[in-house]
Amino acid sequence: RLTAHRPQRAQTTPHPVRPLQISNWTTAPMAATSSPSTAAAAMWAFAAAACVKLLLVPTYRSTDFDVHRYWLALTHALPARQWYTDASSEWTLDYPPFFAYFSRLLSLPAPFVDASLVDIPVPAAPPSSAYILYLRLTVAFSDLLLLASILLLARDARRRQRPFLALLLVLWSPALLIVDHIHFQYNGFLMGLLLLSLHFLEQGKDLAGGVVFAALLCSKHLFLVAAPVYFVYLFRHYCCGRGLARGLGRLVLMGAGVVAVFAMAFAPFVYYGQVSWSVNSVWNWMFLHDHLVIVVTIISF
């Protein structure tokens, strides 16, 4: 009788699994309860933020509106060899070349909305309502890259059982709403590039992450403050601990990728003899913000 009942006891006591499942729910409720709705939550947050952005269309516009209004017309009406030398406006182009290419892309549909959008010199008359709406929508539309990057990082966080609510809140960042959609800039698009780079690092694709960050630096030099952190992380995570020959090969490969990105950005303007304009603007910015670079370097170590 005892031997007959022993197998039944072994089959009816598979209890060690349940405490593990309960502990997963208690230690990572965000990851366990939101796996099917991460994308939906991000899309709803983005849609709600987009509605708020539309309400901000007629609000205050700083001089940055005039700056980007001129850059839009400049990159459309003039060839690239004149982008950094044109002096028809006081708002000369002082961002790195990839942002100029970005402005050129945004300017392509502009003539279908208002022909004066791409006139050089920029008309002194106040912009029309269609003009204002078009430029405001370019900022909101470029935030799609921010949404895509947040979706990718949220998926990474869910897989690693990390909270992702903070990522969704980036879509509702008061700083981005004020600076981009009232003050008028394109930092949401640039932040999307930064988060895309972090997604590649999260995936272990360090080379892709470094290349995307290099493209970000060629879009806006403000992100140079993060360059020391990237350098230390990529050097230690991608190059070190793999033997001298392999580590050196990876260092050369990463350097070649970064140099290729900068070459694509700056080579045409080197050929046109305009590179000093871009380099001087970057150097001046670094001189004014060198203390930030030092602080970020110390934190990275």
Side-chain angles (χ1 to χ4, degrees):
R1 291 180 182 177
L2 291 175
T3 57
H5 286 287
R6 282 175 184 173
Q8 293 181 358
R9 291 181 181 178
Q11 295 175 0
T12 56
T13 57
H15 294 294
V17 177
R18 289 187 177 179
L20 294 176
Q21 293 178 351
I22 293 173
S23 64
N24 283 337
W25 277 79
T26 55
T27 57
M30 186 70 69
T33 58
S34 57
S35 56
S37 60
T38 302
M43 294 297 292
W44 275 107
F46 181 80
C51 293
V52 174
K53 294 168 187 176
L54 290 177
L55 294 175
L56 296 175
V57 168
T59 55
Y60 162 80
R61 303 184 304 275
S62 71
T63 54
D64 274 2
F65 181 86
D66 298 319
V67 170
H68 290 285
R69 175 188 177 190
Y70 165 64
W71 292 358
L72 196 77
L74 169 73
T75 54
H76 188 278
L78 298 180
R81 63 177 178 271
Q82 299 180 30
W83 286 357
Y84 286 95
T85 57
D86 180 74
S88 61
S89 172
E90 60 179 314
W91 313 116
T92 54
L93 181 60
D94 58 0
Y95 273 26
F98 276 176
F99 195 90
Y101 298 145
F102 173 67
S103 296
R104 167 68 178 177
L105 183 64
L106 295 180
S107 72
L108 295 179
F112 300 100
V113 177
D114 190 334
S116 64
L117 271 166
V118 291
D119 285 345
I120 290 290
V122 175
S128 64
S129 57
Y131 199 136
I132 296 172
L133 179 62
Y134 179 80
L135 283 175
R136 292 289 196 191
L137 289 180
T138 60
V139 179
F141 180 78
S142 65
D143 283 347
L144 288 173
L145 179 60
L146 178 63
L147 171 64
S149 300
I150 286 176
L151 286 175
L152 291 173
L153 280 174
R155 186 184 64 183
D156 297 338
R158 183 186 64 202
R159 188 181 65 255
R160 297 175 181 268
Q161 295 187 348
R162 296 174 182 172
F164 63 89
L165 181 60
L167 294 171
L168 297 183
L169 292 179
V170 172
L171 297 172
W172 272 96
S173 168
L176 286 179
L177 286 175
I178 293 173
V179 174
D180 281 12
H181 303 279
I182 297 178
H183 183 72
F184 198 88
Q185 289 190 28
Y186 291 90
N187 290 303
F189 167 76
L190 299 167
M191 186 64 66
L193 277 177
L194 177 63
L195 296 183
L196 181 62
S197 173
L198 294 178
H199 162 69
F200 284 129
L201 297 184
E202 184 78 10
Q203 292 286 314
K205 301 175 181 178
D206 293 340
L207 180 60
V211 168
V212 173
F213 182 72
L216 177 62
L217 293 182
C218 292
S219 300
K220 191 169 184 178
H221 44 278
L222 181 146
F223 290 92
L224 278 168
V225 295
V229 177
Y230 265 81
F231 175 79
V232 172
Y233 174 82
L234 292 174
F235 182 74
R236 296 185 63 182
H237 189 262
Y238 185 69
C239 302
C240 294
R242 304 177 186 275
L244 179 60
R246 190 178 179 185
L248 184 59
R250 287 198 166 202
L251 180 62
V252 171
L253 182 61
M254 178 65 72
V258 172
V259 169
V261 172
F262 274 82
M264 286 191 299
F266 287 93
F269 301 98
V270 172
Y271 177 77
Y272 296 136
Q274 300 183 56
V275 70
S276 60
W277 288 75
S278 299
V279 171
N280 284 338
S281 63
V282 172
W283 174 255
N284 290 335
W285 188 91
M286 290 179 63
F287 179 78
L288 293 174
H289 296 77
D290 57 345
H291 58 288
L292 292 179
V293 176
I294 294 173
V295 169
V296 173
T297 305
I298 294 173
I299 293 173
S300 68
F301 281 103

